[in-house]
Every structure is written in C-alpha cells, then in structure tokens.
Amino acid sequence: MPSAIEAIRDAIVNDAPAEEIAALELPTTARGALVREEDVDMFGDLPDDDRDPRQALRIEEFPLPELAPDEAYVAVMASAINFNTVWSSIFRPLPTFGFLKRLGRESYWGKRHDLPYHVLGSDASGVVLRVGSAVRSWKPGDRVTVQCNHVDDQDPSSHDDSMMASNQRIWGFETNFGGLAEISVVKANQLMPKPEHLSWEEAACNGLCNSTSYRMIVSKNGSHMQQGDSVLVWGASGGIGAYAVQYVLNGGGTPVGVCSSEKRAELLRAMGCDAVIDRRAEGFRFWKDEHEQDPKEWLRLGKKIRELVGRDVDIVFEHPGRQTMGASVFVAKRGGLIITCAATSGFMIEYDNRYLWMNLKTLKGCHFANYREAWAANQLVCDARVHPTLSRVFPLEQTGEAAYAVHKNLSEGKLGVLCLAPGEGLGVRNEALREQYLDQITLFRRFEQG
Ligand code: NAP
C-alpha cells in the first residue's frame, strides 16, 4: 500500500485525471529543505563566503499547516535554487526567522508561518491538490508554476503595483512553506500555468529569475528597454543575467554580457550574445584594496564596451553591488540608467556621484515582479520565446550541495531540485513545441555536460 505522498506522486506521474487528484488523501506531513532557528548562530563570526549552506540546510518532515481560504496546496514536482536560498541558509544578512515572526503578528493565518523552522524555496512546478474556499480560478489537478510575490490584497498599498505593497513578501524567503518541499502552500494569486513543452524541472526554474529580469528589462516599472538600446549585463550567464540577455535580444537590443570564464563566454555566444567581456581574463579590478576604487579600471571597462559595440551602454543591469557599482555608474551613457536588484558582493555601495549628476544618469532600484509581470514572463516561456536556463539537477536530499554551488559561483544559469518527480524529463505534454526549440531549451544542460 503506497503512502499518501507516494500515491500523490504516482497519480501525477501517471497523468491521473483531475477528479482522481481531487480525491487523493492528503498526508499530514511532507518532507522539505528547511533551516532551524536553533542553528542561526552556528557560523559564529565567519564571513559570508566561508559559511556553508550544506551545514544549515536539513531535509526533514514537517506538519502541513491548515489551508487559508485564498490558498492552495501544491504537490511540488520540482523546485530550484535561488540566491535567497543561499542567504537563508547562511543566516545573512539576517536570519529569516524575524520575517516569519513579523508575518506571524499580522493575522490568524500569518501566525502559521511563525515556527522554529523555515521551509525554504521560491520556485516550484507541480500540481494543485486542494484549494481554499475563496479560490476561483484554480482547481485540483491543474498543472502550475509558482511566482513568489506574496501579497496581501486587503492592503490598499498593493493595488497599483503590488511590489509597492507595504507588506509585500517573497514566498519561501519571507514566508514559510516554500517550494523546496514535497508539498507547498501558496496563495492562489501566485499560480501560473505550467509551460507544457517543458519538464517539471525546466518549468520550475524560471519563476523567480525570469520574472525579476522581465521587470528589470522589459517593464515600465524597470528600465523599459527600447529597441536599439545596448545593455551591460553583469553575471550574464547566471540566474537573472541569462534571462536578461534573452530579454535584451528579444526586444531588439544589444547585450554586452559580462562573465568570468571562457566556458561562460562561449555559452553567451551560443545564446546570441556577441559582445562578451570575460572579466577574469581581462583582469578587471575595480577596487585597488578594501577601501579605494580605481577609476582607471572604470575607464578601461568603458573603452572595452566601446570597442565591442561602438558606444556607451544605455542601461546597466546591476546586481553584484559593491564590487561593480562604481564601474556601472561610470560606464552608463549620459542620460543612461543603472538598474539594480541586489548586492551579492556587498551592499555598502560606493560610486562617484559626479558621474551620476553631471551626466544626468539614473540609479533605480528594482525588486522581483508583480503578478501581471510574472504572468507575462511566464507566458513568454509558455510560448517558447524565453527558454529555461537549467544547467544541473539535484535530488531534494542534495539541496545543500546545490545551494553551495550557487553560493560559490560554481554554476551557470539555474540549478533545479527534484522534489516529488522521480526523475528528470517528466511532465512534458507538448512534444511538438519542445522538438522545435530543443536546442535552446537544453543549451545550458548541454554546456554543463560538455
Ligand atoms: P547567480 O546565479 O549566482 O549569478 C550571479 C552572477 O553574478 C554570477 O554568475 C557571476 O558571474 C556574477 N558575479 C558574482 N560575483 C561577482 C562580482 N564580484 N563581480 C561581478 N560579477 C559577479 O545569482 P542570481 O540568481 O543571478 O542572483 C544574483 C543576485 O541577484 C543575488 O544577489 C540575488 O540575491 C539577487 N536577486 C535579486 C532579486 C530581486 O528580486 N531583488 C531576484 C533575483 C536575484 P561571473 O562570475 O561569470 O561574472
């Protein structure tokens, strides 16, 4: 007799009809990748770089919480690693338990999240198992992906651009019951249709990074790139960078992709990004030492960009932060835009403000995406106009290894995690569309495998 969770997995793998999925017994617990509050001091004074996610991430069984009226249980077939999984599991810049406590103070339903463990993960693909009484557009059996914008729609501040909502949160980072688990709890307004030409793991890896890059490059809330614009993309073969490159190319722009190895440079060229800067091979060193930057290096980067594309860039897609921001502000064209969503290498930023004001540049902050933007980005994946950047796949038990690889900049594109899916390559329904774009869909995977 299979357990409840095995029965769910088998029904999904065997493509059981919706009525059968709706009738499946729900387990009371599920397995997930979580961190525990008792571990938050485990790294002592170690610097971020030396903290190892493998030590903090545990795979454990946790009780499923009661379902709120506007929520759904999703049987997660696959998930993916994001940098926020790294932050959560090295407890930097803050342990995430403070976020859960704040959510816990908000409401009866919020209280469920405030626990001494935090189930992580901000991406998922899978199947809806049950929906709450207020859910209208989704039902058991629906095959879905999940976007991670967790919004309280009773808050007036969420009703223009929901990313402006005062209590906007990232699911699986600032809320509990994230996607790195066999079953996840999501709000109905996080659900989106699964791209049916993709496997579970290919479908799971896009939500967070693809939506973020869509807002940063395409949306009027971001840089609203125009045809003909040139865009400097830092970390162009990485999680958000590889989607940014696709959006620049799709929108008739010219990406200048920065990376740190010949392998990554080749991958970028294979994506159609002809202007590539290998920052390691070129030996760029924007900081002379811990305290002082080297404006000559900014100048050298600017010259390199002009050599490659004949002019300064209109937009800089910025996220490394402290290591690159001085250079980013310098190399954007007069009147150009530096759009930033992160600071991987340090958030205390320094740049020469003269270049910003005298040359009328704009520095703009950007964060994830609202539901409309995430939906549009997902639709582009469904239409095979944007492709997954999945390079490696790990079983749930090895979530720590996968997070370690992202933390140490050892991976390209996205790293997938199989939750309930018993293997790779499952879940494809539209074989014809897949066949048409197979080269693009599998590009990162093939590069990884050499
Ligand atoms: P990722 O997959 O690790 O890729 C980051 C890329 O940045 C790497 O491939 C690396 O490329 C480059 N990089 C790393 N350190 C660098 C440095 N010191 N100087 C220049 N380039 C450097 O991570 P990701 O998923 O793209 O995320 C990147 C950052 O964005 C993270 O901090 C993440 O938390 C943040 N993020 C924010 C949002 C949001 O909504 N605000 C959403 C997604 C991600 P090379 O070594 O090849 O140059």
Side-chain angles (χ1 to χ4, degrees):
M1 180 80 175
S3 66
I5 201 78
E6 285 166 348
I8 289 170
R9 183 199 59 206
D10 294 348
I12 295 171
V13 170
N14 296 324
D15 243 341
E19 314 80 73
E20 209 173 293
I21 303 267
L24 287 166
E25 182 199 339
L26 276 183
T28 53
T29 63
R31 266 181 343 137
L34 54 84
V35 289
R36 288 201 159 270
E37 196 170 17
E38 70 212 45
D39 290 338
V40 298
D41 295 322
M42 73 189 299
F43 296 118
D45 294 333
L46 278 181
D48 295 7
D49 269 1
D50 298 338
R51 294 174 174 225
D52 187 338
R54 294 173 294 191
Q55 284 174 259
L57 270 167
R58 308 172 180 220
I59 307 302
E60 286 184 17
E61 202 84 20
F62 62 95
L64 282 184
E66 186 187 356
L67 199 63
D70 62 345
E71 289 178 344
Y73 289 126
V74 173
V76 182
M77 297 304 279
S79 181
I81 302 295
N82 284 293
F83 222 94
N84 70 13
T85 320
V86 176
W87 299 128
S88 307
S89 57
I90 62 171
F91 307 112
R92 292 284 292 156
L94 291 168
T96 46
F97 292 94
F99 303 145
L100 304 183
K101 284 187 177 37
R102 205 166 311 140
L103 174 53
R105 286 194 292 272
E106 256 180 27
S107 67
Y108 169 81
W109 296 110
K111 185 84 191 119
R112 294 168 305 162
H113 294 259
D114 181 10
L115 294 164
Y117 57 86
H118 186 181
V119 184
L120 307 177
S122 299
D123 272 323
S125 69
V127 174
V128 174
L129 291 175
R130 295 279 195 283
V131 294
S133 56
V135 175
R136 289 175 289 113
S137 308
W138 304 93
K139 57 181 187 328
D142 286 345
R143 292 153 60 96
V144 294
T145 57
V146 178
Q147 62 89 14
C148 62
N149 187 10
H150 185 277
V151 179
D152 172 2
D153 63 9
Q154 292 177 36
D155 180 343
S157 64
S158 73
H159 282 269
D160 180 5
D161 169 10
S162 61
M163 285 307 298
M164 294 295 180
S166 52
N167 58 2
Q168 184 278 332
R169 294 183 164 89
I170 298 295
W171 162 74
F173 179 59
E174 293 161 293
T175 79
N176 220 322
F177 318 120
L180 286 161
E182 293 168 330
I183 296 183
S184 182
V185 177
V186 305
K187 283 183 180 274
N189 63 14
Q190 290 178 249
L191 294 171
M192 309 188 294
K194 173 185 175 287
E196 290 293 13
H197 63 299
L198 300 181
S199 66
W200 294 113
E201 62 280 7
E202 290 162 351
C205 75
N206 307 300
L208 189 148
C209 284
N210 181 37
S211 310
T212 302
S213 298
Y214 178 92
R215 182 173 172 115
M216 286 180 80
I217 298 290
V218 181
S219 172
K220 65 177 168 31
N221 293 316
S223 64
H224 205 198
M225 191 204 87
Q226 301 296 298
Q227 296 193 17
D229 280 354
S230 52
V231 185
L232 182 73
V233 181
W234 290 105
S237 66
I240 50 176
Y243 291 102
V245 166
Q246 295 188 62
Y247 282 118
V248 176
L249 289 169
N250 283 358
T254 304
V256 180
V258 186
C259 64
S260 63
S261 71
E262 182 46 36
K263 177 187 173 195
R264 291 180 179 182
E266 242 182 85
L267 178 55
L268 287 171
R269 287 186 205 105
M271 289 177 78
C273 178
D274 298 328
V276 177
I277 298 174
D278 179 341
R279 65 183 173 97
R280 193 158 292 164
E282 301 272 349
F284 281 112
R285 197 153 175 264
F286 302 119
W287 285 81
K288 285 182 193 161
D289 55 42
E290 226 179 284
H291 307 288
E292 202 190 344
Q293 297 200 54
D294 186 352
K296 284 204 200 95
E297 285 292 271
W298 303 346
L299 202 62
R300 189 158 76 89
L301 178 66
K303 274 193 185 149
K304 182 77 199 170
I305 293 169
R306 285 183 186 178
E307 240 173 72
L308 288 169
V309 294
R311 59 205 160 94
D312 295 334
V313 287
D314 300 270
I315 298 164
V316 180
F317 182 89
E318 167 58 56
H319 52 93
R322 184 170 171 80
Q323 287 296 327
T324 53
M325 185 62 94
S328 294
V329 169
F330 180 81
V331 300
K333 77 166 192 189
R334 189 175 173 86
L337 174 74
I338 304 98
I339 188 151
T340 175
C341 72
T344 317
S345 64
F347 43 81
M348 294 307 283
I349 300 292
E350 196 178 283
Y351 62 87
D352 186 335
N353 203 31
R354 290 170 298 179
Y355 293 109
L356 194 85
W357 98 71
M358 291 298 287
N359 294 307
L360 302 103
K361 304 181 190 188
T362 303
L363 175 56
K364 183 171 183 174
C366 201
H367 186 38
F368 189 58
N370 61 40
Y371 194 18
R372 189 202 63 73
E373 290 162 338
W375 189 282
N378 185 62
Q379 188 58 49
L380 285 160
V381 178
C382 291
D383 295 343
R385 305 288 291 272
V386 168
H387 302 288
T389 61
L390 186 76
S391 63
R392 288 165 72 189
V393 181
F394 295 75
L396 183 62
E397 294 72 19
Q398 284 177 23
T399 302
E401 288 295 336
Y404 176 80
V406 173
H407 184 30
K408 291 289 173 188
N409 193 9
L410 299 174
S411 61
E412 285 80 43
K414 296 294 302 174
L415 301 187
V417 174
L418 298 179
C419 298
L420 280 176
E424 292 179 45
L426 302 171
V428 177
R429 277 187 176 165
N430 189 342
E431 292 285 0
L433 188 61
R434 182 178 184 80
E435 201 48 46
Q436 206 180 334
Y437 292 98
L438 195 60
D439 282 353
Q440 292 95 320
I441 295 167
T442 57
L443 179 67
F444 278 63
R445 200 90 176 95
R446 285 184 285 116
F447 251 81
E448 182 56 39
Q449 289 164 350

